[in-house]
């Protein structure tokens, strides 16, 4: 029971946990734009720093923040979105981390986006509000294959399409739920749009994401299509907070 290897693996796990708490959680992914730079101490930088501060204050209130700071060529636009099931405390911590990480990872890029499990943060010198982000996208999947991919893929699409309907119809543009698989197993899903989108654009964004599932997640036990305006996720274990 308490063999040395068991004890030491617990120890390593605890260390890893402590380290993660101390250092913050790693982002899932990020992109820095390659088109335009700004210089240190410029008005753009001042505006960007103010924007990130504003998002930090606004986002935890409702789970979504949108702001724009400055004028003309120094104007910066930004949003941040917390996953629909996270508390405002977790939301606040995530947006704080996202703001400081993007500034570290993309120190002089005018536009950047970063994703975590609990939130995303995006800013740009271009007004992107209300537009579907078709540039920034990545996939994640579970390496394990299901035994019956055809019916599993169908059930995944059904669940996510149903959730998508719920999401674009409600103000939070978020929905999570589950459906039954064979053998008392369940499928769990989550979909969400950034709330600068119209309901019609949220629908389109989610439809597009669902249609991309075959490119990443065909017959996989879990998968995500994650973009700058919406994302979808499914798993065969519960991952949504109550
Ligand atoms: C932006 O800055 C990087 C290095 O900081 C440089 O390599 C790149 O050429 C610059 N790009 C533009 C468009 O100025
Ligand atoms: C922006 O980010 C890219 C990719 O990380 C980097 O290669 C580039 O030099 C950066 N340039 C700017 C600051 O445009
Ligand atoms: C899942 O299936 C793919 C393609 O059929 C295969 O390449 C891969 O090794 C399988 N993965 C596992 C974990 O069995």
């Amino acid at each position: 029971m308490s063999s040395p290897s068991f004890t030491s693996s617990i120890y390593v796990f605890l260390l890893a946990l402590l380290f993660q708490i101390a250092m913050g959680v790693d982002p899932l992914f990020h992109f820095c734009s390659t088109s335009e730079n700004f210089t240190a101490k410029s008005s753009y930088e001042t505006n960007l720093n103010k924007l990130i501060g504003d998002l930090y204050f606004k986002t935890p209130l409702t789970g979504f923040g949108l702001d724009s700071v400055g004028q003309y060529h120094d104007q910066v636009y930004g949003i941040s979105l917390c996953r629909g099931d996270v508390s405002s405390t977790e939301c606040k911590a995530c947006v704080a981390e996202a703001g400081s990480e993007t500034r570290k990872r993309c120190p002089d890029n005018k536009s950047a986006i970063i994703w975590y499990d609990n939130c995303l943060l995006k800013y740009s010198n271009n007004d992107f509000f209300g537009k579907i982000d078709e540039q920034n996208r990545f996939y994640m999947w579970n390496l394990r294959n299901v035994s019956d991919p055809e019916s599993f893929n169908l059930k995944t699409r059904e669940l996510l399409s149903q959730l998508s309907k719920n999401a674009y119809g409600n103000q939070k543009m978020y929905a999570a739920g589950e459906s039954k698989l064979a053998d008392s197993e369940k499928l769990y899903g989550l979909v969400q749009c950034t709330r600068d989108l119209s309901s019609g654009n949220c629908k389109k964004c989610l439809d597009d994401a669902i249609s991309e599932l075959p490119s990443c997640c065909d017959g996989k036990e879990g998968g995500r299509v994650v973009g700058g305006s919406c994302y979808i996720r499914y798993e065969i274990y519960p991952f949504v907070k109550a």
Side-chain angles (χ1 to χ4, degrees), residues 34-35 37 108:
T34 51
S35 54
N37 293 343
D108 51 10

Side-chain angles (χ1 to χ4, degrees), residues 68-236:
S68 160
V69 177
Q71 293 182 38
Y72 308 116
H73 56 275
D74 287 327
Q75 188 165 4
V76 54
Y77 304 82
I79 58 171
S80 50
L81 175 72
C82 287
R83 210 171 86 175
D85 59 331
V86 307
S87 69
S88 67
T89 311
E90 290 169 304
C91 177
K92 194 169 189 170
C94 191
V95 174
E97 181 74 17
S100 72
E101 258 330 280
T102 44
R103 297 291 285 111
K104 273 184 225 152
R105 290 170 186 243
C106 314
D108 51 10
N109 297 71
K110 281 198 171 178
S111 308
I113 182 166
I114 194 163
W115 293 270
Y116 291 80
D117 260 330
N118 284 348
C119 72
L120 72 83
L121 185 144
K122 173 180 172 178
Y123 54 79
S124 174
N125 58 319
N126 295 311
D127 179 0
F128 62 86
F129 296 159
K131 296 173 190 143
I132 299 174
D133 183 342
E134 281 165 357
Q135 255 183 327
N136 300 305
R137 177 164 308 175
F138 69 97
Y139 308 118
M140 292 173 78
W141 59 89
N142 189 317
L143 291 176
R144 291 170 58 165
N145 299 315
V146 298
S147 52
D148 184 0
E150 239 171 83
S151 84
F152 184 83
N153 291 343
L154 188 67
K155 285 187 172 149
T156 304
R157 288 178 81 97
E158 274 172 6
L159 174 62
L160 293 171
S161 302
Q162 184 55 51
L163 293 176
S164 158
K165 270 186 205 136
N166 302 346
Y168 68 74
N170 80 45
Q171 225 180 356
K172 229 179 149 190
M173 293 194 163
Y174 163 78
E178 58 189 59
S179 67
K180 282 204 174 72
L181 293 170
D183 310 328
S184 75
E185 287 188 329
K186 281 182 181 171
L187 184 65
Y188 302 85
L190 179 157
V191 310
Q192 190 167 14
C193 294
T194 61
R195 287 178 228 157
D196 57 313
L197 296 189
S198 64
S199 160
N201 272 351
C202 175
K203 175 182 188 326
K204 181 170 188 313
C205 188
L206 291 172
D207 283 348
D208 289 350
I210 292 169
S211 74
E212 284 191 45
L213 282 171
S215 358
C216 62
C217 308
D218 192 27
K220 299 297 176 194
E221 285 186 358
R224 311 185 204 187
V225 178
V226 187
S229 298
C230 71
Y231 51 86
I232 61 174
R233 176 176 178 187
Y234 73 89
E235 305 285 355
I236 57 167

